[in-house]
Amino acid sequence: MCAALLASCSAAPAPAPTQGPALAPSEIIAAAPGADWAPIAPSELLVMDLAPDAKGAARRVVIQLLPAPFSQGWIGNIRALAAAKWWDGTSVNRVQDGYVVQWGDPDGEDKAKAKALPAGLKVMPAEDYAATAGSPEVKAFLDKSRGGTIAGLSKDAYAESVEFRSGWPLGSDAKAMWPIHCYGTVGVGRDYPPDTGSGAELYAVIGQAPRQLDRNIAVVGRVIEGMEHLASLPRGTGDIGFYKTAQERTPILSIRIGSDVPGLPRYEYLSTESKSFAAYADARANRRDSFYIRPAGGVDICNVPVPVRRVP
């Protein structure tokens, strides 16, 4: 009987493993293996140091610049402006609630007082707000990245198709592909068309994604660190958020390309081609973790911010 009992016990099926609760997006990011993270070269960063705050604390804003084929004429101008130290001594001049923070020369509209721009800056056509579909540059970009739709990504009101490629949210149609305005997006301030802006005046989105600006203004990058230093600034009381007095403006100490900043930390983003990002995006679209009652079943592309971290 003992032998039979032992045989019976050994043949009994193992208990089924219990499935733990669904992970929240932050937990998926924390669990992503190192191989799922892609480095950001220091040469692809723009580093802005604002004057210290009222308590004397430093305020640094780090911006990642867009890769080719997008907005490269303006980005070339931005590199030239940073190399010339042109922004040193300029300021944040506009903070419009729920919209943008804008910086550059506070006297830029006054030809008699405006700060002279470096020689050789390019004048870009409005057609370059988007990259032409089928062009060699777009083909090269597509060849080195793997796009595709994200499960649960809702139908977009501003583009025939939206997707992530090489870490960036992009819209497209049969004619073109373009970068999207999301929270933290950095773009080029300009006057009325045909002016397209030089890159000397920049803004960062601090409100709900103003997607109506897509293909109407040059997008050049996104804030990856220090967004709190922009979003927390006092709102301007003048028209469309401009400050009325010089005392209200926040001085800019310097803006440099990252490779010219000593001691700058290294950064990396969660590859949008990785399994971790696919799981993270799905979790953003369908929250199943314990706080939520009903998954949404969809998500706007700007509600899937690409995770960026300092290299541990």
Side-chain angles (χ1 to χ4, degrees):
M1 287 182 63
C2 289
L5 182 59
L6 288 172
S8 173
C9 289
S10 63
T18 57
Q19 185 173 355
L23 297 179
S26 59
E27 294 172 316
I28 294 170
I29 295 168
D36 284 357
W37 294 85
I40 303 173
S43 59
E44 299 305 315
L45 298 175
L46 191 68
V47 181
M48 175 166 64
D49 287 320
L50 304 174
D53 65 16
K55 296 181 179 180
R59 292 185 285 184
R60 171 169 284 183
V61 179
V62 182
I63 297 163
Q64 182 185 7
L65 298 172
L66 268 166
F70 305 107
S71 304
Q72 293 304 292
W74 290 279
I75 290 173
N77 287 350
I78 287 169
R79 292 182 181 279
L81 288 157
K85 303 180 181 180
W86 184 86
W87 279 292
D88 297 15
T90 61
S91 57
V92 175
N93 306 313
R94 175 191 179 195
V95 182
Q96 186 172 359
D97 190 49
Y99 197 42
V100 298
V101 171
Q102 191 165 316
W103 62 89
D105 179 8
D107 296 317
E109 298 299 316
D110 186 337
K111 292 184 179 180
K113 296 181 180 179
K115 190 172 185 178
L117 294 170
L121 297 186
K122 294 182 179 179
V123 177
M124 304 303 299
E127 289 78 11
D128 281 8
Y129 293 150
T132 304
S135 66
E137 295 80 10
V138 168
K139 288 181 178 178
F141 174 72
L142 298 180
D143 285 345
K144 64 182 181 182
S145 62
R146 186 179 72 249
T149 57
I150 298 294
L153 194 65
S154 58
K155 184 179 173 75
D156 195 82
Y158 294 90
E160 290 182 9
S161 176
V162 291
E163 62 181 320
F164 290 92
R165 286 215 181 235
S166 296
W168 296 89
L170 303 169
S172 64
D173 58 21
K175 298 179 179 179
M177 176 174 278
W178 58 88
I180 286 173
H181 277 80
C182 295
Y183 183 82
T185 291
V186 175
V188 175
R190 64 165 175 81
D191 206 335
Y192 286 95
D195 180 58
T196 60
S198 65
E201 188 174 37
L202 298 173
Y203 64 84
V205 174
I206 60 167
Q208 184 171 347
R211 294 288 305 283
Q212 75 279 3
L213 297 179
D214 294 356
R215 294 181 288 173
N216 284 289
I217 283 184
V219 172
V220 293
R222 63 182 169 205
V223 176
I224 63 168
E225 189 173 86
M227 189 66 188
E228 68 276 13
H229 301 312
L230 299 177
S232 63
L233 290 174
R235 277 37 181 168
T237 57
D239 292 343
I240 61 172
F242 277 97
Y243 292 122
K244 292 181 178 180
T245 65
Q247 290 72 26
E248 296 174 280
R249 301 176 188 133
T250 300
I252 294 173
L253 302 181
S254 69
I255 297 181
R256 300 285 187 275
I257 295 298
S259 50
D260 295 328
V261 178
L264 185 70
R266 291 183 297 151
Y267 299 90
E268 55 190 11
Y269 68 90
L270 186 62
S271 171
T272 51
E273 301 176 5
S274 68
K275 290 182 179 180
S276 295
F277 185 84
Y280 158 75
D282 176 69
R284 296 286 295 187
N286 296 287
R287 295 297 294 265
R288 304 178 186 91
D289 46 292
S290 56
F291 180 82
Y292 284 82
I293 300 170
R294 297 180 182 87
V299 65
D300 183 88
I301 193 166
C302 285
N303 203 28
V304 188
V306 176
V308 176
R309 69 178 186 180
R310 291 190 178 195
V311 174

